[in-house]
Amino acid sequence: GENVEQHPSTLSVQEGDSAVIKCTYSDSASNYFPWYKQELGKRPQLIIDIRSNVGEKKDQRIAVTLNKTAKHFSLHITETQPEDSAVYFCAASKVGGGADGLTFGKGTHLIIQP
Amino acid sequence: GAVVSQHPSRVICKSGTSVKIECRSLDFQATTMFWYRQFPKKSLMLMATSNEGSKATYEQGVEKDKFLINHASLTLSTLTVTSAHPEDSSFYICSATGPYEQYFGPGTRLTVT
């Protein structure tokens, strides 16, 4: 089955700096890669996703890049703010739009230092 | 739109008893729902895929007789943890396939004493 690796497990950055979280996946059939933000005790919230026919997607301060050849994708957050502090999970599935179960990475605890 | 609810939000039960958790899609129909388990400070692990009107598909290592899933309607899936033990204590989260993505429920914190 699919295996998703995520790094780093903890990331501390100064407010205003950029944060980058990286994930790799193993199943070349995966073609949907969402990123979730989860605050303690809350449900995961989709912040951005990318499908395999696209190499990059941006939404304001958040961007995701995908390299299908290398089987890795990354989350980029620019101009970080205190409210960006949370745990971020990458995930992969074979069918886009949520019709398939997601395989999650282990998560990255992002800490924004004031 | 696209709201998923779970009930209860928290439950404490004694070892050996069974607990039922409900997952509802409130404003859309979901032919497919998923159940995940999340241990403290860990990632979400897919337990099973619940399809309306058919048997659930379980992930490797998940006991189907222990985690009973029923998806009797297009808006409701239930997870019953049977003969619960302390090691089953966890955060159980469901999700439903909506118009554009998977929509997650708020989760159920299960504590088995």
Side-chain angles (χ1 to χ4, degrees), chain A residues 80-95:
Chain A
T80 53
Q81 300 167 4
E83 52 265 36
D84 295 330
S85 295
V87 179
Y88 291 80
F89 292 97
C90 62
S93 75
K94 293 186 181 60
V95 180

Side-chain angles (χ1 to χ4, degrees), chain B residues 80-99:
Chain B
T80 301
V81 183
T82 63
S83 187
H85 288 100
E87 57 264 31
D88 297 324
S89 297
S90 187
F91 193 49
Y92 292 85
I93 307 177
C94 70
S95 69
T97 301

Side-chain angles (χ1 to χ4, degrees), chain A residues 5 8 16 19 41 43-44 49 76 78 93 99 102 106-107:
Chain A
E5 298 284 341
R43 76 186 83 194
D49 59 11
H76 303 252
T78 59
S93 75
L102 294 163
K106 292 190 186 306

Side-chain angles (χ1 to χ4, degrees), chain A residues 48-105:
Chain A
I48 196 167
D49 59 11
I50 192 167
R51 287 171 172 76
S52 59
N53 57 345
V54 176
E56 184 174 357
K57 185 177 177 180
K58 190 174 181 180
D59 182 4
Q60 299 183 349
R61 296 188 296 109
I62 296 172
V64 57
T65 59
L66 171 65
N67 183 327
K68 281 221 75 176
T69 303
K71 296 200 195 73
H72 66 70
F73 55 114
S74 300
L75 177 71
H76 303 252
I77 304 174
T78 59
E79 301 172 22
T80 53
Q81 300 167 4
E83 52 265 36
D84 295 330
S85 295
V87 179
Y88 291 80
F89 292 97
C90 62
S93 75
K94 293 186 181 60
V95 180
D100 195 20
L102 294 163
T103 301
F104 284 85

